[in-house]
Amino acid sequence: QVQLVESGGGLVQAGGSLRLSCAASGRIFSINAMGWYRQAPGKQRELVAGITSGGGTMYVDSVKGRFTISRDNAKNTVYLQMNSLKPEDTAVYYCNAVPWVVPRSQGTQVTVSS
């Protein structure tokens, strides 16, 4: 059974940085593109960054130039480096395959204060 465990969230002031990590078990990591999604209260979940098994990346416009997604295939781990954080980045962040296939994991809360 595939498991995804996110960590690294927290409370940070605007302009600060956080690095999220996602440890994945199972075959999903080696065969799927992986991504970081976020969901703010009252809003739909959105894909903010994705990375293919070969390292190709994509970002939603609102985070381009500020967020960097990366993966360590040997460790089955995907990361999201978030710099220049803004209050509008506040959300629960989840990792999952792209497209989303694994039942939702616990996520990690990111709160950016102004």
Side-chain angles (χ1 to χ4, degrees):
Q1 185 173 353
V2 175
Q3 287 189 318
L4 300 167
V5 180
E6 302 95 342
S7 61
L11 173 63
V12 64
Q13 289 188 333
S17 298
L18 286 173
R19 189 192 194 209
L20 307 184
S21 298
C22 171
S25 64
R27 294 191 65 229
I28 187 173
F29 195 85
S30 63
I31 64 174
N32 282 80
M34 297 295 294
W36 283 96
Y37 301 76
R38 67 186 179 189
Q39 187 164 22
K43 295 187 176 182
Q44 288 189 332
R45 184 178 66 213
E46 67 170 342
L47 175 65
V48 297
I51 185 166
T52 68
S53 56
T57 59
M58 61 72 61
Y59 300 92
V60 69
D61 285 348
S62 60
V63 307
K64 283 181 180 177
R66 301 188 298 121
F67 290 11
T68 303
I69 189 170
S70 61
R71 64 192 290 165
D72 185 332
N73 291 334
K75 296 181 178 180
N76 280 5
T77 302
V78 61
Y79 305 96
L80 186 68
Q81 177 67 43
M82 306 186 295
N83 299 327
S84 302
L85 283 161
K86 303 176 180 180
E88 51 263 43
D89 294 318
T90 295
V92 179
Y93 284 71
Y94 304 91
C95 70
N96 211 301
V98 180
W100 184 287
V101 296
V102 180
R104 193 171 71 177
S105 49
Q106 65 179 12
T108 187
Q109 175 72 48
V110 171
T111 303
V112 184
S113 63
S114 57

